[in-house]
Amino acid sequence: MLTLVIFLPVLVAAVLPAVPRRAVPWTWTAVSLAEVALVGWMWVAHGTGGGLSYETDVRWIPSVGAGYHVGVDGLSLPLLALTAVLFAACAVYSLRHTHRVRAFAMLFLFLETVCLGLFAALDLLLFFVFFDLSIVGMYFVILLWGHGDRSRSALKFFLYTFLGSLVLLLGFIGLYLGADPNTFDMVELTRNPPLHGGLAGLTLLAVAIGLGIKTPVVPFHTWLPPAHTDAPAAGSAILAGVMLKMGTYGLVRIAMPMLPDAWRRYALAFLIVGLVSVLYGALVALAQDNVKRLIAYTSVNHMGYIVLALGAAGYASGDADARRLAVTGAVTQMVSHGLVTGALFLLAGVLHDRADSYDIGRFGGIARNAPVFAWLFAVAAFASLGLPGLSGFIAEFQIFAGTIGSGTAAAAAAGALAVLGILITAGLFLRVLHRAVLGPPGELTGRVTDVRRPELAALAPLLLLSLLIGVVPRGLLDTIEPVSAAVVGLVGR
């Protein structure tokens, strides 16, 4: 079942050349919606218990102990669901797309398989293959369908993230060589951590750099704003909503349980990196006049919260319940950020489609001409800044409660300072709403028409899911919490 979910999109992509051109967008949409239904069914069948479901383990490269090993648990299922939902939203959003439609659909179906495969992988080498293929896929999305200085942005994205993947591979090789017997199997490496002492520290450094570039955290974030600014709207939604989570997911799935001794020892470093990313991302976003760059820097801010929480969870001497709450908040933030930031980038795409600009200062009073767009943008902005009743609040409250309540002075201080990030984020989004949505008419306001049906059909489910998580979070939290408890237990060994 899981293998079908992973590879169905790329199988359909392989036959798309034989599909009539007019039917391509509808075929893409139908497959993406089918993926949502399949992942939803898997989630219901898995329930809220711990352990792995839908596990498949087949020998792949026996000489190095690598296999096609996939499975799902409370950590991977929410991210598989997020992936399926966002790709479906992008398919619906792109129904009116006219430029190289067949190639565009094929590339996104390929990317969907890659992203689903990474979140289901239980073998380090398999994880790395999907990790690298995601870089190639997004490179071509930016290069062929982007705008502005797309060649430079695509090249910068590729070189940065590919370099990160090579460093990550060194870390994986270190884990493989430290295991006895040598293996890339993630379940085995989690059960018996292979490295301790200085070697574990060096391996964690390699893994953290590779995943940190992908996340991205300061100072490895510089590829992100140009990539988002020049990518098409659907590409930005997938890059921010799904692909950035590969880094933080890897920290929870690989770094924390496989290198627990090193993670405890260097927890303070992750706290500092997370705090700097939170404050730096928010402050730089506040200075942006380009709405896409602004949203890109808020992603640095939001991913910083996740790293901050995971750093707090590394203090074995801290309160176990608070550390578990921090990990649960971090995973919830991955889901919330994917939904909300995906919606924000699609909304930015609506502006560019109408007015060919992202400049906030050239818009004003959009609510008069496009009231539905204004409401959607307001809801997405409030969700991003953590307003109660929306998913951002549930995630950030758990992160702050778990970090400040962990019982260690460093974590409590970092959590208290990170609260300033919410204040700054509130200020920057209120500034955008005041200037572009509610302010006096701008020179481009007349060109902004309201959202069309495909755009509304893509955006509404993302924001409704954010509202659902904000009001009734138990279904998501009950799925995540058993894995959070297991991760905290593994780190404390």
Side-chain angles (χ1 to χ4, degrees):
M1 176 67 176
L2 180 57
T3 297
L4 173 65
V5 169
I6 294 170
F7 290 103
L8 178 60
V10 78
L11 291 175
V12 174
V15 302
L16 270 188
V19 175
R21 186 180 183 279
R22 293 182 63 181
V24 167
W26 296 103
T27 304
W28 175 20
T29 301
V31 173
S32 299
L33 292 174
E35 287 287 298
V36 174
L38 288 170
V39 173
W41 187 86
M42 288 173 56
W43 192 333
V44 171
H46 174 82
T48 57
L52 291 167
S53 299
Y54 301 100
E55 191 173 1
T56 301
D57 190 2
V58 180
R59 291 168 69 86
W60 177 31
I61 310 176
S63 58
V64 295
Y68 172 75
H69 191 183
V70 294
V72 297
D73 59 9
L75 172 60
S76 54
L77 265 174
L79 294 172
L80 288 172
L82 172 67
T83 300
V85 167
L86 269 177
F87 272 96
C90 289
V92 173
Y93 181 89
S94 304
L95 282 172
R96 294 171 58 91
H97 189 87
T98 57
H99 180 55
R100 298 179 181 172
V101 177
R102 196 186 309 274
F104 192 70
M106 291 174 66
L107 192 52
F108 269 76
L109 287 168
F110 166 78
L111 272 172
E112 184 168 9
T113 283
V114 168
C115 295
L116 291 169
L118 182 139
F119 293 129
L122 294 175
D123 181 274
L124 289 179
L125 199 56
L126 186 65
F127 180 100
F128 178 78
V129 168
F130 287 127
F131 190 91
D132 252 15
L133 289 176
S134 71
I135 299 171
V136 176
M138 187 51 65
Y139 168 78
F140 284 111
V141 169
I142 299 171
L143 180 67
L144 299 178
W145 288 276
H147 37 256
D149 194 0
R150 58 188 181 183
S151 297
R152 181 183 178 87
S153 297
L155 182 62
K156 188 173 185 178
F157 160 78
F158 184 87
L159 291 177
Y160 261 76
T161 51
F162 187 67
L163 174 63
S165 75
L166 294 179
V167 178
L168 181 65
L169 181 60
L170 290 176
F172 287 177
I173 291 173
L175 288 168
Y176 167 80
L177 293 176
D180 186 20
N182 299 146
T183 182
F184 285 106
D185 189 83
M186 293 162 73
V187 175
E188 198 57 42
L189 291 168
T190 299
R191 187 180 296 122
N192 301 298
L195 297 171
H196 303 278
L199 288 176
L202 289 174
T203 303
L204 178 61
L205 178 64
V207 171
I209 290 175
L211 297 175
I213 291 174
K214 191 77 166 186
T215 297
V217 293
V218 178
F220 305 121
H221 67 287
T222 55
W223 62 267
L224 184 68
H228 273 313
T229 303
D230 296 331
S236 289
I238 296 303
L239 179 57
V242 178
M243 290 178 60
L244 299 191
K245 310 306 175 298
M246 295 177 178
T248 49
Y249 172 81
L251 292 177
V252 182
R253 175 68 75 192
I254 298 169
M256 295 177 74
M258 297 182 196
L259 297 162
D261 176 60
W263 189 270
R264 292 194 304 271
R265 202 177 333 137
Y266 298 107
L268 180 60
F270 289 94
L271 270 176
I272 294 171
V273 169
L275 177 61
V276 171
S277 298
V278 166
L279 298 178
Y280 177 87
L283 287 169
V284 177
L286 185 62
Q288 301 303 311
D289 287 321
N290 182 302
V291 68
K292 251 198 165 185
R293 290 182 70 88
L294 181 149
I295 299 168
Y297 277 110
T298 63
S299 290
V300 177
N301 164 265
H302 284 93
M303 302 309 282
Y305 288 125
I306 298 173
V307 177
L308 177 80
L310 299 181
Y315 285 96
S317 59
D319 181 79
D321 290 337
R323 291 161 56 221
R324 183 173 66 249
L325 186 62
V327 175
T328 302
V331 179
T332 306
Q333 177 76 326
M334 295 184 208
V335 176
S336 174
H337 176 265
L339 294 172
V340 175
T341 305
L344 284 169
F345 276 120
L346 293 181
L347 286 163
V350 172
L351 287 181
H352 190 271
D353 177 70
R354 308 295 195 274
D356 197 31
S357 175
Y358 295 120
D359 190 346
I360 299 168
R362 301 178 70 186
F363 297 97
I366 291 175
R368 295 182 182 88
N369 295 344
V372 177
F373 173 90
W375 275 107
L376 292 171
F377 191 89
V379 172
F382 286 128
S384 184
L385 63 86
L387 189 75
L390 295 163
S391 59
F393 173 77
I394 300 298
E396 290 172 6
F397 177 80
Q398 291 181 103
I399 288 172
F400 290 128
T403 302
I404 296 173
S406 64
T408 59
L417 288 172
V419 173
L420 293 173
I422 295 181
L423 181 63
I424 301 168
T425 304
L428 69 91
F429 274 117
L430 290 175
R431 167 177 166 266
V432 174
L433 288 170
H434 176 73
R435 290 183 60 183
V437 179
L438 301 174
E443 61 179 291
L444 297 178
T445 302
R447 297 168 61 177
V448 180
T449 58
D450 219 339
V451 291
R452 304 183 179 110
R453 288 181 181 177
E455 295 163 346
L456 180 60
L459 288 160
L462 301 180
L463 298 178
L464 286 173
L465 284 171
S466 177
L467 177 63
L468 180 65
I469 294 171
V471 176
V472 191
R474 182 173 178 177
L476 176 62
L477 301 184
D478 284 351
T479 302
I480 297 170
E481 283 172 354
V483 177
S484 300
V487 170
V488 168
L490 291 168
V491 171
R493 284 178 291 184

